Amino acid sequence: KQWYQRRVAITAGQGSVILGKTCKKAFVKVFNADEDQCSGVFCDVLEVAEVFLNDTMRAMIAAEFDKDFFKIIETEILNPVMEYNCRCSGKMMDAWMGCKHKIGEADIWYTVMNFGGFNTSAAYLEGEDWLDFWVDVVKDRLPWDDMSLMLERTMANLCQTNQDD
């Protein structure tokens, strides 16, 4: 099976360390409502990495000729990624756009803050709470509307059926 085809059961009621409860619910909804089950990719990250490192990297290292090496890159990396993106990137971006306002509920913020030894009273914060500052950066200061539009237009162009055959 290709990494993007793996079907995983996701429980919406549990929180997500990285996404938080609201975003996890949004991505579970994408998973359950769509036959592509796009957001299942989150569940497959470790398995995909393991398969990639064990199989794809070994094949690339063992490739005798450069054409074989680049054929592996095309068939095992580029094609599956583009197939996934054409089917799923818009759905995933829509889910993110609908839930990003609640990204502050994710537990990862506390892990990052405590793990990194960050100066939570640094001058750049200008008196704002560290968590509030960085949640605002992710939620509102990044140009998500522009990124969403760029993604939509890019996928519209890259995912067209080639009529030149």
Side-chain angles (χ1 to χ4, degrees):
K1 290 183 181 181
Q2 294 291 329
W3 65 271
Y4 58 83
Q5 292 175 321
R6 186 166 182 273
R7 305 300 184 231
V8 182
I10 301 175
T11 306
Q14 297 175 334
S16 167
V17 171
I18 303 219
L19 297 172
K21 193 170 187 173
T22 301
C23 280
K24 182 175 180 184
K25 283 182 180 181
F27 286 109
V28 167
K29 185 176 179 182
V30 170
F31 181 87
N32 290 331
D34 185 68
E35 70 181 49
D36 290 323
Q37 296 179 321
C38 296
S39 58
V41 72
F42 292 131
C43 299
D44 294 337
V45 168
L46 293 177
E47 182 179 329
V48 169
E50 181 181 1
V51 168
F52 178 78
L53 291 172
N54 285 336
D55 299 343
T56 307
M57 290 301 291
R58 288 175 195 260
M60 289 168 59
I61 291 167
E64 189 172 349
F65 301 104
D66 59 347
K67 68 179 174 122
D68 298 331
F69 177 85
F70 289 108
K71 186 68 173 175
I72 293 165
I73 290 173
E74 178 184 356
T75 60
E76 300 299 320
I77 301 171
L78 297 178
N79 288 349
V81 166
M82 282 309 299
E83 289 169 8
Y84 173 83
N85 282 334
C86 288
R87 283 191 339 275
C88 296
S89 62
K91 298 170 193 173
M92 297 290 280
M93 181 60 92
D94 289 346
W96 169 249
M97 295 297 283
C99 74
K100 69 181 176 70
H101 66 283
K102 291 287 199 165
I103 195 63
E105 65 189 23
D107 291 336
I108 192 72
W109 295 107
Y110 300 104
T111 304
V112 168
M113 186 171 63
N114 292 324
F115 178 75
F118 294 100
N119 179 353
T120 57
S121 59
Y124 73 86
L125 296 170
E126 297 178 352
E128 191 174 357
D129 180 69
W130 185 91
L131 176 62
D132 294 339
F133 177 87
W134 285 107
V135 166
D136 183 56
V137 166
V138 170
K139 181 178 64 120
D140 294 324
R141 294 186 195 180
L142 293 174
W144 290 111
D145 290 333
D146 294 339
M147 287 189 266
S148 183
L149 181 60
M150 183 185 79
L151 177 68
E152 179 184 330
R153 289 181 179 173
T154 301
M155 291 299 104
N157 285 303
L158 292 178
C159 300
Q160 298 179 64
T161 302
N162 188 346
Q163 301 298 323
D164 295 338
D165 295 332

